[in-house]
Structure formats: structure tokens, C-alpha cells
Amino acid sequence: MTINEICAEIAKNNKGEQDAIEGYYRLISELESNSVPYEFIKQIEEIISDEMNHSEKLSNWATRLSNIQPAKD
């Protein structure tokens, strides 16, 4: 596997993390509109935080492996 192929696989996994985050936000919206206990929402927010941590790590791996730095605005 080349570095580019590894980075592509990392990007694919990172997309999965981002898709999960999107789904959890949608779930929170549904729960809020159905008067679900706030405790459940707090637990989902914790899961979102974990997914964000995973996404950040994957992004850092791709940056280090590829030596391509994110653009600064």
C-alpha cells in the first residue's frame, strides 16, 4: 500500500466518523422534539465528543503521513 492509499483509507474512515456525528445530531433533534429525558441527550453528546476525537486523530494521521498541511485562512 502506498502512502496515498493509506491516506485515502484514513480519509474514508474519517468520513465515517463525520457521518456518525451527523446522525447523532439528527437523533438529538428527534429526541428533543419528543420530550426524551435530557440525560439521554447528554449521553449522545458524549458520543459525539468521542467521534470528534476520533476524527481529529485521523485527520492528524493523514497530515503527518502525507506531509500536506491544511490551508490557513
Side-chain angles (χ1 to χ4, degrees), residues 37-61:
Y38 184 67
E39 167 190 334
F40 292 177
I41 293 170
K42 289 305 292 177
Q43 290 176 5
I44 295 169
E45 288 173 345
E46 183 180 325
I47 293 169
I48 291 170
S49 177
D50 288 342
E51 299 292 349
M52 288 177 168
N53 182 1
H54 301 160
S55 181
E56 187 174 303
K57 286 179 181 178
L58 290 166
S59 201
N60 288 336
W61 292 356

Side-chain angles (χ1 to χ4, degrees), residues 6-44:
I6 293 168
C7 289
E9 189 64 30
I10 291 169
K12 178 182 170 185
N13 284 293
N14 202 356
K15 180 185 180 305
E17 299 291 345
Q18 294 299 314
D19 289 345
I21 291 168
E22 177 186 2
Y24 290 127
Y25 279 122
R26 291 182 192 281
L27 179 58
I28 288 173
S29 292
E30 288 295 320
L31 296 177
E32 287 174 337
S33 66
N34 289 298
S35 302
V36 171
Y38 184 67
E39 167 190 334
F40 292 177
I41 293 170
K42 289 305 292 177
Q43 290 176 5
I44 295 169

Side-chain angles (χ1 to χ4, degrees), residues 3 7 60-70:
I3 291 295
C7 289
N60 288 336
W61 292 356
T63 299
R64 287 185 64 196
L65 288 170
S66 70
N67 289 319
I68 299 172
Q69 298 299 311

